Every structure is written in structure tokens, then in C-alpha cells.
Amino acid sequence: MHRVAFSVDDLDESLAIAARHGCRPLRGVANYRDVYRLTYLRGPSGILVMLAQDLTRS
């Protein structure tokens, strides 16, 4: 497995949790057409982890 994606309710909170474990966004946080906020992290064993927050959900 080279990559995995997760949908999160709050991207900022998820990034704060990841930071406590030494993980930081690889290239910042992107806003995709005001539908998703997303970012990539390097996870355990070098796996690429995408976190995405659906902005259309209330």
C-alpha cells in the first residue's frame, strides 16, 4: 500500500493531532473548488496519507 485517504470532520483539528505525533502537511492545505479542504501527510512506513474535509456538509 502506497497511499490512503480519510474523510475528516475538522481538518484543522486533525492536523493538530497529527502535529503532536510529528506529522506536518507536505505542501500545505488546499481548497478544492470550495467543496473540499485537503492535505497530504507522510504516515507510518512512508505511506502517503490524504486528509479531506467536505465543506458541503453542515
Side-chain angles (χ1 to χ4, degrees):
M1 181 184 313
H2 300 284
R3 58 186 154 252
V4 64
F6 293 98
S7 176
V8 297
D9 294 326
D10 185 333
L11 185 59
D12 294 324
E13 183 174 338
S14 298
L15 287 173
I17 293 167
R20 289 196 297 265
H21 296 278
C23 297
R24 303 269 187 270
L26 295 177
R27 294 185 180 153
V29 176
N31 183 319
Y32 180 74
R33 298 186 179 184
D34 292 325
V35 176
Y36 287 102
R37 286 183 69 222
L38 53 97
T39 192
Y40 293 89
L41 308 167
R42 184 69 62 189
S45 303
I47 295 171
L48 190 60
V49 178
M50 181 182 78
L51 301 177
Q53 178 184 350
D54 186 345
L55 298 175
T56 65
R57 292 178 57 188
S58 299

